[in-house]
Amino acid sequence: MSNPTPINIIIDDRIRLMSAALAATNFPQSAQERKRHHAHAHARALIKHLAEREMKKHPAIMALQGLLDEGTPLEALFTLAMSLQWPKLTADTLPPWVPNGFTSLLWDFYEKAELAAFFDEGSKVWETAEAQAKQVFETVYFKETLQPFLGDIPEDLVFMPNILWPADREVGIRVDNQLIAIVPPALAWGESPPWPYDEESMMAIHVYPGALSEYARILLTTYLHEHAEKVSVAAEKDLPVGDLMAAEYPSWEEQFVTLFKLAVVAIYLEDFMNPTEARGYILMEKKVHNMTILPGTISVLRRFLQEKGKRYDTLADFLTVFPTQLRVAKRIITM
């Protein structure tokens, strides 16, 4: 086995600031309305901390709320945060969607909300999350899993444990030569606190999938854009996904990316952990997200790996037959 993939574990104040700003908007409430969950104690303490300082009325938060109301993706907001210089949040250029003066307001929010003191007071929980993540990602083989599909991956893989917001989903961003997975701890049930990052039962169904699926999504999205002509030909044949998935992911590309990233996680678990972990992950995806098509997707991608260098040189060459092969696999493969 080759050397494991280096995963750089970070605690970055720019990400923490954006997470804290989200906490002052209606984002936590909206997330709870989508699905009830019990966030980390540090995240809940932050909401109280901000409420005591009446931060919902701060101009930066009002501007951020406006961006959320317009449908600005979390990925765009965290990418913006990581493109700014720390401290003061200066930048040479900003995307056109950023409100005038927003970064200066965001820095004012950081100071008025006394976030430096809040994070310093909670330093122990951040250090614990960082130490857990370093242990979990000490020996992983993410690039070795992705490269047979996508070619060389020169980017650095980075993981940020996020015990703030969002508490119920991961966010993956590309910043310069870094792919950064911002991942919360696994939610527990009811009013129980989230699981630690190094909880053994959660690694294969939350921590590894949370990071690897985001790296895969970012890399594959870029790859498909680079092979747009072949994607266009492949998209002439619909993917055999259910109505719910088609509604959530309307385009062929979105559907393929979603199937690919889930299948790659299962392949990783089977190849580098054990088949039991892979089966558990697949069953969870089928039960929670109705991904009954996942076993067929895994089979088809495994077939590509077997035929690579023979019938197909690259994944792009394989795209045109993927819909047909998946349709057949969906009918005959159950797990």
Side-chain angles (χ1 to χ4, degrees):
M1 188 177 291
S2 62
N3 293 329
T5 305
I7 307 288
N8 185 26
I9 311 299
I10 63 168
I11 302 294
D12 194 287
D13 281 325
R14 293 166 293 182
I15 291 174
R16 295 201 294 189
L17 170 54
M18 186 57 72
S19 295
L22 284 174
T25 68
N26 70 3
F27 179 85
Q29 180 183 343
S30 298
Q32 291 289 350
E33 289 169 358
R34 288 192 299 273
K35 181 183 178 182
R36 295 291 297 172
H37 58 278
H38 201 58
H40 194 283
H42 189 61
R44 290 180 279 117
L46 174 62
I47 287 184
K48 180 182 177 184
H49 176 90
L50 296 174
E52 289 171 349
R53 289 154 182 79
E54 299 184 343
M55 283 295 113
K56 278 187 175 292
K57 301 175 183 176
H58 191 282
I61 303 309
M62 296 175 71
L64 179 58
Q65 185 65 61
L67 290 171
L68 293 172
D69 292 344
E70 292 167 5
T72 306
L74 293 181
E75 287 77 10
L77 294 172
F78 281 101
T79 300
L80 169 66
M82 286 300 290
S83 71
L84 303 174
Q85 298 296 315
W86 186 271
K88 301 297 185 184
L89 307 182
T90 56
D92 294 332
T93 59
L94 292 171
W97 55 265
V98 177
N100 189 38
F102 178 63
T103 58
S104 297
L105 292 173
L106 200 58
W107 181 251
D108 185 69
F109 164 75
Y110 178 81
E111 294 189 311
K112 296 273 175 50
E114 301 176 78
L115 288 179
F118 178 80
F119 293 141
D120 185 59
E121 188 176 331
S123 60
K124 188 69 176 176
V125 290
W126 286 102
E127 289 166 7
T128 298
E130 182 180 22
Q132 291 169 354
K134 284 181 177 178
Q135 180 177 341
V136 167
F137 288 101
E138 185 177 9
T139 309
V140 295
Y141 296 87
F142 288 173
K143 286 191 177 182
E144 192 159 282
T145 301
L146 292 168
Q147 283 172 336
F149 295 103
L150 302 173
D152 289 339
I153 301 171
E155 293 91 346
D156 296 326
L157 303 188
V158 179
F159 182 88
M160 163 89 182
N162 183 20
I163 54 177
L164 294 175
W165 306 95
D168 62 338
R169 56 156 290 192
E170 57 273 1
V171 177
I173 60 175
R174 181 194 290 273
V175 179
D176 298 327
N177 197 48
Q178 295 183 323
L179 306 182
I180 306 174
I182 305 164
V183 181
L187 295 172
W189 299 274
E191 294 297 303
S192 301
W195 294 99
Y197 285 95
D198 59 355
E199 167 59 40
E200 194 169 342
S201 64
M202 291 292 115
M203 289 184 197
I205 62 174
H206 177 77
V207 184
Y208 292 152
L212 179 54
S213 64
E214 286 304 298
Y215 300 141
R217 178 187 61 79
I218 297 167
L219 290 166
L220 179 60
T221 300
T222 300
Y223 182 90
L224 294 180
H225 289 172
E226 291 170 349
H227 297 88
E229 286 187 20
K230 292 186 177 180
V231 173
S232 180
V233 173
E236 293 175 5
K237 297 178 183 177
D238 291 339
L239 293 170
V241 300
D243 293 341
L244 288 176
M245 185 174 175
E248 187 173 358
Y249 305 102
S251 73
W252 192 97
E253 182 177 322
E254 289 174 308
Q255 293 168 14
F256 182 76
V257 169
T258 301
L259 293 173
F260 177 87
K261 70 179 188 179
L262 294 174
V264 158
V265 168
I267 289 169
Y268 173 79
L269 295 176
E270 186 168 29
D271 290 355
F272 294 101
M273 293 188 72
N274 61 68
T276 302
E277 299 284 16
R279 283 194 296 270
Y281 172 76
I282 293 166
L283 288 171
M284 185 196 70
E285 285 297 329
K286 289 167 70 173
K287 182 178 179 180
V288 177
H289 300 118
N290 198 34
M291 282 292 173
T292 56
I293 198 172
L294 182 53
T297 307
I298 296 164
S299 173
V300 174
L301 290 180
R302 288 278 193 196
R303 183 177 304 168
F304 161 72
L305 293 178
Q306 292 168 0
E307 298 178 345
K308 184 182 176 188
K310 302 169 188 173
R311 294 182 62 186
Y312 313 101
D313 289 329
T314 66
L315 181 64
D317 298 331
F318 183 71
L319 290 179
T320 55
V321 302
F322 180 84
T324 301
Q325 292 202 9
L326 182 58
R327 198 171 297 277
V328 173
K330 182 184 178 183
R331 287 201 304 268
I332 64 176
I333 295 175
T334 58
M335 188 176 294

